[in-house]
Amino acid sequence: MAVSLAEIRESHAAAFSAACPTRVVLDHVMSKWGILVLLTLGDGTARWGELRRGIDGISEKMLATTLKTLEGDGLVQRTSYPEVPPRVEYALTALGHDLMLRLGPLMEWIAVHADQMVGTAASD
Amino acid sequence: MAVSLAEIRESHAAAFSAACPTRVVLDHVMSKWGILVLLTLGDGTARWGELRRGIDGISEKMLATTLKTLEGDGLVQRTSYPEVPPRVEYALTALGHDLMLRLGPLMEWIAVHADQMVGTAASD
DNA sequence: CAGAATCCCCTATGATACTG
DNA sequence: CAGTATCATAGGGGATTCTG
């Protein structure tokens, strides 16, 4: 194997201190809806309604909160058009896009192995 | 660019349905402490006390809960030695190790970009 | 259509004390 | 040392209603 876990861990040692901003970002990105929103936005742009309908089970409140958080982190960009039927579009920023690239393989792995994990679905 | 976000999203479409086990695993792995514990275990084996001291800010309860969850998911293996001074060692399973390999690059990216994100540290 | 504001519930998270 | 049990709390998260 080429990648040493010890190396990985060492390089992220900072994350183990409670004050590290990594902790915060981790909490935002890894939050229940964070990833789903980011993933949905991966397409390019999405409108509020699209996001709400696209992410099964998300409430308006959580969508709003999550979007604000991600926007505050500079991962998502919000653009509102001053039209009569209000239209707002959300899109990934360059930073967000970059992050998604790292998230992709992980999501893939999880999707593949999710049903292997015992804790998720009772085998009995 | 070689990787299309649309492709990424498409391949994880299942994650958007609330019932998908991916959601559960996501919640476990991406939970506040999940990653930290997995990361700490990356070294090989760690004892209860080591984990508790190694992860800044985690409470006993949360450590216990997180460990059980991850153990239930088959990501972590618990081994207790029937000695007089109780000794228990936790280690990543093959599955957990595999997961960590995917988590590494992500953690790295986050660690590097964390301070770029506005929402994490007040500039004022 | 987009979202802000409210009310409410439940679970995640914590601090502490207790036990094998 | 390695947990478990208990109690308490904050905030995540949901449903509903209201406004621009």
Side-chain angles (χ1 to χ4, degrees):
Chain A
M1 66 171 189
V3 185
S4 157
L5 282 185
E7 290 181 292
I8 291 181
R9 199 230 159 157
E10 188 181 353
S11 55
H12 308 309
F16 290 97
S17 56
C20 182
T22 300
R23 282 279 190 93
V24 182
V25 177
L26 220 47
D27 269 21
H28 290 182
V29 175
M30 316 309 247
S31 74
K32 184 181 180 74
W33 305 111
I35 293 189
L36 283 320
V37 170
L38 288 175
L39 218 51
T40 306
L41 287 178
D43 284 37
T45 46
R47 301 182 52 173
W48 168 273
E50 291 183 284
L51 289 171
R52 190 159 76 103
R53 283 186 297 275
I55 304 173
D56 190 30
I58 196 170
S59 68
E60 299 191 339
K61 181 180 181 180
M62 279 305 99
L63 180 54
T65 303
T66 305
L67 282 172
K68 278 183 189 169
T69 301
L70 296 178
E71 196 190 344
D73 287 341
L75 296 171
V76 168
Q77 185 189 10
R78 188 192 115 116
T79 313
S80 74
Y81 299 85
E83 304 174 353
V84 176
R87 189 172 110 241
V88 179
E89 291 192 336
Y90 293 90
L92 289 183
T93 61
L95 201 65
H97 188 97
D98 211 39
L99 173 61
M100 279 308 299
L101 259 27
R102 267 80 180 183
L103 237 33
L106 179 62
M107 287 297 292
E108 216 163 287
W109 185 91
I110 293 184
V112 171
H113 298 266
D115 42 87
Q116 285 183 35
M117 311 209 187
V118 236
T120 61
S123 46
D124 181 297
Chain B
M1 66 173 191
V3 185
S4 157
L5 283 184
E7 290 181 291
I8 291 180
R9 200 234 158 150
E10 188 181 353
S11 55
H12 308 310
F16 290 98
S17 55
C20 182
T22 299
R23 282 280 189 92
V24 182
V25 177
L26 220 48
D27 269 21
H28 290 182
V29 175
M30 318 309 246
S31 75
K32 186 181 180 74
W33 304 111
I35 294 189
L36 283 319
V37 170
L38 288 175
L39 217 50
T40 305
L41 288 178
D43 284 39
T45 46
R47 301 182 51 172
W48 168 272
E50 291 183 285
L51 289 172
R52 190 157 77 105
R53 283 186 297 275
I55 304 173
D56 189 31
I58 197 170
S59 68
E60 298 191 339
K61 181 176 183 179
M62 279 305 99
L63 180 55
T65 303
T66 304
L67 281 173
K68 277 183 189 169
T69 301
L70 295 178
E71 196 190 345
D73 287 341
L75 296 171
V76 167
Q77 186 188 10
R78 189 194 114 117
T79 312
S80 73
Y81 299 85
E83 305 175 351
V84 176
R87 189 171 111 242
V88 178
E89 291 192 336
Y90 293 90
L92 289 183
T93 62
L95 201 64
H97 187 97
D98 211 38
L99 173 62
M100 280 306 299
L101 259 27
R102 267 79 180 183
L103 239 31
L106 179 61
M107 286 296 292
E108 217 164 286
W109 186 92
I110 294 185
V112 172
H113 298 266
D115 42 88
Q116 285 184 34
M117 311 208 187
V118 235
T120 61
S123 46
D124 180 298

